[in-house]
Amino acid sequence: MRCPYCGSEDTQVKDSRPAEDNTSIRRRRICPDCGGRFTTFERVQLRELMVIKKTGRKVLFDRDKLVRSFEIALRKRPVDRDRIERAVSGIVRRLESSGETEISSEQIGLQVLEALKSLDDVAFVRYASVYRDFSHAEDFEHVIEEINAKIARDPLDP
C-alpha cells in the first residue's frame, strides 16, 4: 500500500481487525520513510455493479461516492462514523445480492433515503431536497410524504 503522505510503497501494517460487522478488515498502517499513519479497509466485492444515471449513462458503482453522499447529508449531525459505515455496507450488500449487475441511481437514492431516515431526520430532509431538486418550500412537504410512502411499500422498487 502506497503512503498517502510521501508516496513510499513500503508501508507496514501495525494493527488489523474486523470492522463493519465483520464484513471488512481494518488495517492501521505506518510509513517507515515519513512516519505517516493511516487506515485502510479491505472488503469483499462480489461483482462489479453499474449505475444507470437519469440520463441513461452507465458508470461503475463507487462505494466511496456513496460514503461521501452520507457525509454531506450528515454534516455537523451527531451520527457516529461507524453507523455511517454500517449503513453504506448494508446498501452495498443489498445491491450486490440483488443479482442485478445494473442498478438505477434512483434505486440507490431510495436506499440512501431509507438509511438516512433511520440515522437522522435532518440528514434525510437534506438528501431528499437534493435528490428531488427542491425549488419551493412546498416541495419539502410533498416529496417527503411521497418518499415515505414509497419506502414503506418497497425500498428496492422505484
Side-chain angles (χ1 to χ4, degrees), residues 37-92:
R37 294 174 180 260
F38 57 99
T39 303
T40 60
F41 289 89
E42 179 180 310
R43 296 181 179 86
V44 172
Q45 182 177 357
L46 297 176
R47 66 183 79 192
E48 287 203 353
L49 298 172
M50 295 299 290
V51 178
I52 303 171
K53 301 291 212 174
K54 288 180 183 173
T55 61
R57 192 171 59 101
K58 296 178 183 178
V59 297
L60 196 61
F61 175 76
D62 183 353
R63 185 185 195 282
D64 292 336
K65 187 174 179 181
L66 192 58
V67 171
R68 284 193 301 274
S69 295
F70 272 84
E71 289 173 344
I72 291 169
L74 290 162
R75 186 175 291 153
K76 297 186 178 182
R77 300 298 303 160
V79 176
D80 291 338
R81 175 91 181 147
D82 287 345
R83 292 183 68 200
I84 296 171
E85 285 294 330
R86 280 196 300 270
V88 170
S89 292
I91 290 172
V92 172

